[in-house]
Amino acid sequence: MPRSVLDESRIHPAIRERVAGHHAAIVQEVQAAMHEHPVLVVGMAQNPFPRKARRMLDTAGIPYHYLSYGNYFSDWRRRNALKMWTGWPTFPMVFVGGMLIGGAEDLGRLLASGELKRLLSA
């Protein structure tokens, strides 16, 4: 089921460029890292779940790249652009082979089932 996104025809032409470019740099940075690294964890300081995801990957001996954007008191607007882009509401955002697999709990399920290793070997 595709997620609902406001159709461009419903955005006034005078603001389309502004909407499209809103915090585009952070999205481009994450996109570039997704293409460069088989496993990417995007998180923020003070949030225990990015730390939990990284510990799980460390324990499993799976290398990853980590990007951190601010904390609960800073950079929330830029992080919001990532949430809008992915549709994922929380951090971490874990990408495997360029695919968003979810957060720390989702990563744990994929590790436990062996699916993560299958994704990485594909």
Side-chain angles (χ1 to χ4, degrees):
M1 175 172 130
R3 64 186 175 97
S4 183
V5 177
L6 185 62
D7 189 86
E8 188 173 333
S9 68
R10 298 288 178 193
I11 300 172
H12 193 276
I15 66 164
R16 284 183 188 158
E17 189 174 324
R18 192 165 119 208
V19 169
H22 184 70
H23 292 294
I26 191 172
V27 172
Q28 291 165 355
E29 182 176 4
V30 170
Q31 287 173 327
M34 281 172 38
H35 295 297
E36 189 175 331
H37 303 281
V39 179
L40 172 66
V41 179
V42 179
M44 57 184 274
Q46 298 176 323
N47 182 332
F49 293 99
R51 209 169 25 254
K52 180 179 178 180
R54 290 171 28 223
R55 268 196 306 262
M56 284 189 276
L57 290 166
D58 288 338
T59 300
I62 298 171
Y64 61 89
H65 183 70
Y66 181 61
L67 295 175
S68 181
Y69 296 106
N71 57 45
Y72 288 109
F73 304 105
S74 69
D75 268 355
W76 67 267
R77 285 184 176 99
R78 287 185 350 122
R79 284 193 312 275
N80 194 46
L82 293 175
K83 292 178 179 185
M84 292 168 54
W85 170 61
T86 62
W88 190 252
T90 60
F91 289 94
M93 293 175 181
V94 182
F95 297 88
V96 176
M99 178 186 303
L100 176 65
I101 60 135
E105 289 180 11
D106 306 286
L107 174 64
R109 281 193 290 276
L110 290 180
L111 278 165
S113 72
E115 177 68 16
L116 185 65
K117 294 227 181 206
R118 283 191 293 277
L119 285 172
L120 288 170
S121 66

